[in-house]
Amino acid sequence: MSARTLTLVALSLMLGLGAAWMANNWLSARLNASPDDNLQNVVVATVEIPFGQMVEAQHVTVVRMPKGTAPDDAFDATDKVVGKIATFTMLRGDIVRGARLAEHLGGSTLASLIEANKRAVSVRVDDVVGVGGFLLPGNRVDVLATRKVGNNSDAEAKTILEDLRVLAVDQTASTDKTQPVVVRAVTLEMTSEEAEVLVKAQTEGRLQLALRNPLNDQKKPEVVAKPVVAAPAPAPLVKALKPAVRRGGDGGGVTIIRGTAVEVSKVQL
């Protein structure tokens, strides 16, 4: 075999090995880089986090999820959620979202649960007013007011407030209990105008809470009284008949006809 042939064979082997090495490196880079390029860190709950609970480090963890599958307000690190207050109950495996958390800016955790421009007002209750003890934080209720009418013993009941969120029962803003618990006070979330209506109703009579279905988020439509318009007077069925005058053929009298009555008058000639 000539030297030229050996040179060509050696060059072919070197080029083949180089191509194989480059292909292997490119394929390995693609396989190793693909997960990092298509996945993102997402914080999820490792245990159930009740409404009003402060999130702790052992409550959450980070998992890898494909990009575009997590909500826009999801978190990518646990230190961004630790210390916040859960405004909704989160189950194990739920993605921790910013819309379900509130900043704890000091003081009680209850203050962090109140929405902007709203207030927390406590109502004294018993086992009846508190719906048999079935009220829990996160439930929604209507408020009915009963007051006496006039000086008699008659009373009237009216729904004065609707769809109010229960922030706390007694001094508990979070609970995982489902059994009824009789409490002495219930704290409700409402606007300042609704708070004025509630306080006034407390001084006038007795209050009663009505537990709402969580799926029923519609309030009763307001009934607007329409102005009463008097109906026009009906047109007379029979027009007034003018008296018909007929002169007698002999010229000795005048016959006056009024409806069915006939009157004959004598006329002096």
Side-chain angles (χ1 to χ4, degrees), residues 230-265:
L237 298 178
V238 180
K239 296 183 179 180
L241 298 177
K242 296 181 179 180
V245 180
R246 184 176 64 187
R247 296 183 182 274
D250 56 358
V254 177
T255 302
I256 301 175
I257 302 174
R258 299 178 183 275
T260 58
V262 180
E263 179 181 353
V264 179
S265 302

Coordinates of all heavy atoms in Angstrom, one line a residue, residues 230-265:
A230 N -102.5 57.2 36.8 CA -103.9 57.1 36.8 C -104.4 56.7 35.4 O -104.0 57.4 34.4 CB -104.6 58.3 37.3
A231 N -105.3 55.8 35.3 CA -105.9 55.4 34.0 C -106.8 56.5 33.5 O -107.6 57.1 34.3 CB -106.6 54.0 34.1
P232 N -106.9 56.8 32.2 CA -107.8 57.8 31.7 C -109.2 57.3 31.9 O -109.6 56.1 31.9 CB -107.4 57.9 30.3 CG -106.8 56.6 29.9 CD -106.1 56.2 31.2
A233 N -110.1 58.3 32.1 CA -111.5 58.0 32.3 C -112.1 57.4 31.0 O -111.8 57.9 29.9 CB -112.3 59.3 32.7
P234 N -112.9 56.3 31.2 CA -113.5 55.7 30.0 C -114.4 56.7 29.3 O -115.1 57.4 29.9 CB -114.2 54.5 30.5 CG -114.5 54.8 31.9 CD -113.4 55.7 32.4
A235 N -114.4 56.6 27.9 CA -115.3 57.4 27.1 C -116.7 56.9 27.3 O -117.0 55.7 27.5 CB -114.9 57.4 25.7
P236 N -117.7 57.8 27.4 CA -119.1 57.4 27.5 C -119.5 56.6 26.4 O -119.2 56.8 25.2 CB -119.8 58.8 27.6 CG -118.9 59.7 26.9 CD -117.6 59.3 27.2
L237 N -120.3 55.5 26.7 CA -120.7 54.6 25.6 C -121.8 55.2 24.8 O -121.8 55.0 23.6 CB -121.2 53.3 26.3 CG -120.2 52.5 27.1 CD1 -120.8 51.3 27.7 CD2 -119.0 52.1 26.2
V238 N -122.6 56.0 25.4 CA -123.7 56.7 24.6 C -123.6 58.2 24.8 O -123.5 58.7 25.9 CB -125.1 56.2 25.2 CG1 -126.2 56.9 24.4 CG2 -125.2 54.7 25.1
K239 N -123.5 58.8 23.7 CA -123.4 60.3 23.8 C -124.7 60.9 24.2 O -125.8 60.3 23.9 CB -123.0 60.8 22.4 CG -121.6 60.4 21.9 CD -121.3 61.0 20.6 CE -119.8 60.7 20.2 NZ -119.5 61.3 18.9
A240 N -124.6 62.0 24.8 CA -125.9 62.7 25.3 C -126.7 63.1 24.0 O -126.2 63.6 23.1 CB -125.5 63.9 26.1
L241 N -127.9 62.7 24.1 CA -128.8 63.0 23.0 C -129.4 64.4 23.1 O -129.9 64.8 24.2 CB -129.9 61.9 22.9 CG -129.5 60.5 22.7 CD1 -130.6 59.5 22.8 CD2 -128.7 60.3 21.4
K242 N -129.4 65.1 22.0 CA -130.0 66.4 22.0 C -131.5 66.2 21.8 O -132.0 65.3 21.1 CB -129.5 67.3 20.9 CG -128.0 67.6 21.0 CD -127.6 68.5 19.9 CE -126.1 68.8 20.1 NZ -125.6 69.7 18.9
P243 N -132.3 67.0 22.5 CA -133.8 66.8 22.4 C -134.2 67.1 21.0 O -133.8 68.1 20.3 CB -134.3 67.8 23.4 CG -133.2 68.8 23.6 CD -131.9 68.1 23.4
A244 N -135.0 66.2 20.4 CA -135.6 66.4 19.1 C -136.9 67.1 19.2 O -137.8 66.6 20.0 CB -135.7 65.1 18.4
V245 N -137.1 68.1 18.4 CA -138.4 68.9 18.5 C -139.1 68.6 17.2 O -138.6 68.7 16.1 CB -138.1 70.4 18.6 CG1 -139.4 71.2 18.6 CG2 -137.3 70.6 19.9
R246 N -140.4 68.2 17.4 CA -141.2 67.9 16.2 C -142.5 68.7 16.4 O -143.2 68.5 17.4 CB -141.4 66.4 16.1 CG -142.2 66.0 14.8 CD -142.4 64.5 14.7 NE -143.1 64.0 15.8 CZ -143.3 62.7 16.0 NH1 -142.7 61.8 15.2 NH2 -144.0 62.3 17.1
R247 N -142.9 69.4 15.4 CA -144.1 70.2 15.5 C -145.3 69.3 15.0 O -145.1 68.6 14.1 CB -144.0 71.4 14.6 CG -142.9 72.4 15.1 CD -142.9 73.7 14.3 NE -141.8 74.6 14.8 CZ -142.0 75.4 15.8 NH1 -143.1 75.5 16.4 NH2 -141.0 76.2 16.2
G248 N -146.3 69.5 15.7 CA -147.5 68.8 15.3 C -148.1 69.2 13.9 O -147.9 70.4 13.5
G249 N -148.7 68.3 13.3 CA -149.2 68.6 12.0 C -150.3 69.7 12.0 O -150.5 70.4 11.0
D250 N -151.0 69.8 13.1 CA -152.1 70.7 13.2 C -151.7 72.1 13.7 O -152.5 73.0 13.8 CB -153.3 70.2 14.1 CG -152.8 69.8 15.5 OD1 -151.5 70.0 15.7 OD2 -153.6 69.4 16.3
G251 N -150.4 72.2 14.0 CA -149.9 73.5 14.5 C -150.4 73.8 15.9 O -150.2 74.9 16.4
G252 N -151.0 72.8 16.6 CA -151.5 73.1 17.9 C -150.6 72.8 19.0 O -150.9 73.0 20.2
G253 N -149.4 72.2 18.8 CA -148.5 71.9 19.9 C -147.2 71.4 19.3 O -146.9 71.3 18.1
V254 N -146.3 71.3 20.3 CA -144.9 70.9 20.0 C -144.6 69.6 20.7 O -144.8 69.5 21.9 CB -143.9 71.9 20.3 CG1 -142.5 71.5 20.1 CG2 -144.2 73.2 19.6
T255 N -144.1 68.6 20.0 CA -143.7 67.3 20.6 C -142.2 67.3 20.9 O -141.4 67.5 19.9 CB -144.1 66.1 19.8 OG1 -145.5 66.2 19.5 CG2 -143.7 64.8 20.4
I256 N -141.7 67.1 22.1 CA -140.3 67.1 22.5 C -140.0 65.7 22.9 O -140.6 65.1 23.8 CB -140.0 68.1 23.7 CG1 -140.4 69.5 23.3 CG2 -138.6 68.0 24.1 CD1 -140.3 70.5 24.4
I257 N -139.0 65.1 22.2 CA -138.5 63.7 22.5 C -137.2 63.8 23.2 O -136.2 64.3 22.6 CB -138.4 62.9 21.2 CG1 -139.8 62.9 20.4 CG2 -137.9 61.5 21.4 CD1 -139.7 62.3 19.1
R258 N -137.1 63.3 24.4 CA -135.8 63.2 25.2 C -135.5 61.7 25.4 O -136.1 61.1 26.3 CB -135.9 63.9 26.5 CG -136.2 65.4 26.3 CD -136.3 66.1 27.7 NE -136.6 67.5 27.6 CZ -135.7 68.5 27.4 NH1 -134.4 68.2 27.3 NH2 -136.1 69.7 27.3
G259 N -134.7 61.1 24.6 CA -134.4 59.7 24.8 C -135.7 58.9 24.5 O -136.2 58.9 23.3
T260 N -136.2 58.2 25.5 CA -137.5 57.4 25.3 C -138.7 58.1 25.8 O -139.8 57.6 25.7 CB -137.3 56.1 26.0 OG1 -137.1 56.3 27.4 CG2 -136.1 55.2 25.4
A261 N -138.4 59.3 26.4 CA -139.6 60.1 26.9 C -140.1 61.0 25.8 O -139.3 61.7 25.1 CB -139.2 60.8 28.2
V262 N -141.4 61.1 25.7 CA -142.0 62.0 24.8 C -142.9 63.0 25.5 O -143.7 62.6 26.4 CB -142.9 61.2 23.7 CG1 -143.6 62.2 22.8 CG2 -142.0 60.2 23.0
E263 N -142.7 64.3 25.3 CA -143.5 65.3 26.0 C -144.1 66.2 24.9 O -143.5 66.7 24.0 CB -142.5 66.2 26.8 CG -143.2 67.3 27.6 CD -142.2 68.1 28.4 OE1 -141.0 67.7 28.4 OE2 -142.7 69.2 28.9
V264 N -145.4 66.5 25.1 CA -146.2 67.3 24.2 C -146.5 68.6 24.9 O -147.1 68.6 26.0 CB -147.4 66.6 23.7 CG1 -148.3 67.5 22.7 CG2 -147.1 65.2 23.0
S265 N -146.2 69.7 24.3 CA -146.5 71.0 24.8 C -147.4 71.7 23.9 O -147.3 71.7 22.7 CB -145.2 71.8 25.0 OG -144.3 71.1 25.9

